[in-house]
Amino acid sequence: MIAKLEKKLDHYYYHQFAGAVLYGVILAIALNYFWKPGHIYSSGFTGLAQLIDTVTNGRISVSWGIAAANLPLLVIAALKLSKRFAIFTALAVLLSALFVPVFATKTVLTSDPLICAIFGGGLNGMAVGTALRFGVGTGGLDIIGMLFKMKFHTKVGSINLAFNSLIMIGAGLTYGWEYALYSIIGVVVSAHFIDVFYTRQQQIQEIIVTNKPEMMCEHIQNKMRRGVTIIDSTHGGYTGKDKSVLLTVVTQHELGDLREAIHEVDPHAFYSESKVEHTGGRFFEPEP
């Protein structure tokens, strides 16, 4: 009983706390060492906080902007999503707001806007992707996206694009349109790195050819919460033997567990993997 409780605490709290801390530290480094010297704006609510700081001539700092902009959404997340998710998201937002002045520096590694956009965007994508992978939201558009996905079962790419477009316009009006274009490069790099680090949102279709379909299906379902479709009466063109084909969809994050399950049941099973653009019906997604 105690061992199970410790495992649950470790899974739900330790890793999420670590994710919140990593997010705050990496974001603060990206902001102080790359975005500020290069006059680059981030995407989302961090970019909004930067814009507020610029428009008010520093009277409302980036730290206060991050905290104030996210507060209403954190309350909504606690009511509509889950209290645990809202608590750790609030922790990530709070730590990022605290670490920004802590990591403030007069050291300028480079003021080249292209380098600052690329490295700042890469660090931001690493921070956001790592936080999401550990089950921690980063506030702002993340919460909006989850709310829309829960209610309308759709992505909110158009909302993200519209919001970030306003930030880029602000960058252009403040520093010049050249810097707005550099900021867009940073946003694109950030989005790429989020996909690299946040593997839970990437779905993989697995096709398995085996002569142990029932055992394989049961083992996969016991090892991970994924449904499996069995296609019987298939015939090997080379071996001439009857086999079964299993079809399942998992996330990139679960791929290692699935491969391990396949090997444990049938080391000689043939399987292939392909990326999935969209799934419909009942595809299990863990609560935030």
Side-chain angles (χ1 to χ4, degrees):
M1 182 68 180
I2 296 177
K4 288 183 178 180
L5 180 60
E6 288 178 346
K7 185 177 180 180
K8 185 175 181 180
L9 288 173
D10 177 71
H11 175 72
Y12 284 127
Y13 296 101
Y14 175 75
H15 290 98
Q16 288 185 316
F17 179 78
V21 172
L22 282 173
Y23 171 74
V25 171
I26 298 174
L27 180 70
I29 292 173
L31 180 66
N32 287 296
Y33 284 88
F34 294 103
W35 288 333
K36 280 187 176 180
H39 301 307
I40 302 300
Y41 278 151
S42 175
S43 59
F45 276 37
T46 303
L48 176 61
Q50 289 177 269
L51 185 59
I52 293 172
D53 176 74
T54 303
V55 171
T56 61
N57 293 319
R59 287 191 295 273
I60 301 178
S61 67
V62 173
S63 296
W64 281 106
I66 290 174
N70 280 285
L71 181 59
L73 287 174
L74 290 170
V75 174
I76 296 174
L79 296 174
K80 298 293 185 179
L81 295 174
S82 78
K83 290 183 174 60
R84 177 171 55 83
F85 173 78
I87 289 171
F88 281 102
T89 300
L91 179 62
V93 170
L94 177 62
L95 288 176
S96 63
L98 290 175
F99 285 145
V100 165
V102 169
F103 282 87
T105 179
K106 294 182 179 179
T107 302
V108 178
L109 299 178
T110 178
S111 58
D112 185 298
L114 180 58
I115 294 177
C116 289
I118 292 173
F119 279 88
L123 285 172
N124 182 64
M126 182 192 304
V128 175
T130 302
L132 292 174
R133 185 167 183 169
F134 286 168
V136 179
T138 58
L141 296 180
D142 288 345
I143 296 175
I144 295 174
M146 289 181 179
L147 291 170
F148 267 74
K149 188 173 183 179
M150 181 180 68
K151 188 167 182 64
F152 302 108
H153 304 287
T154 184
K155 296 181 179 179
V156 287
S158 58
I159 293 178
N160 288 356
L161 180 61
F163 188 91
N164 290 326
S165 296
L166 293 176
I167 301 299
M168 297 307 109
I169 291 173
L173 293 173
T174 305
Y175 297 122
W177 296 109
E178 178 184 7
Y179 290 96
L181 297 177
Y182 284 126
S183 295
I184 292 172
I185 293 174
V187 171
V188 172
V189 172
S190 178
H192 173 72
F193 272 80
I194 290 174
D195 288 338
V196 170
F197 282 87
Y198 182 40
T199 54
R200 290 183 187 273
Q201 65 178 352
Q202 302 170 26
Q203 296 175 352
I204 303 295
Q205 177 178 275
E206 192 90 6
I207 296 177
I208 309 164
V209 181
T210 180
N211 56 6
K212 301 177 180 178
E214 299 295 340
M215 188 183 301
M216 183 76 73
C217 181
E218 182 179 358
H219 194 62
I220 291 173
Q221 290 175 341
N222 288 336
K223 197 176 186 69
M224 54 194 6
R225 189 174 174 179
R226 292 298 172 200
V228 182
T229 299
I230 301 176
I231 305 173
D232 289 318
S233 302
T234 57
H235 193 71
Y238 177 75
T239 62
K241 297 180 179 179
D242 291 332
K243 291 182 178 290
S244 296
V245 175
L246 277 63
L247 174 66
T248 187
V249 176
V250 300
T251 66
Q252 180 77 34
H253 183 71
E254 299 169 313
L255 199 53
D257 289 338
L258 178 60
R259 290 172 179 171
E260 185 178 333
I262 294 171
H263 184 75
E264 288 172 353
V265 174
D266 185 1
H268 302 291
F270 171 82
Y271 61 91
S272 65
E273 298 160 356
S274 58
K275 290 185 177 181
V276 176
E277 293 296 329
H278 177 72
T279 56
R282 299 174 61 186
F283 183 79
F284 169 73
E285 294 189 35
E287 293 183 359

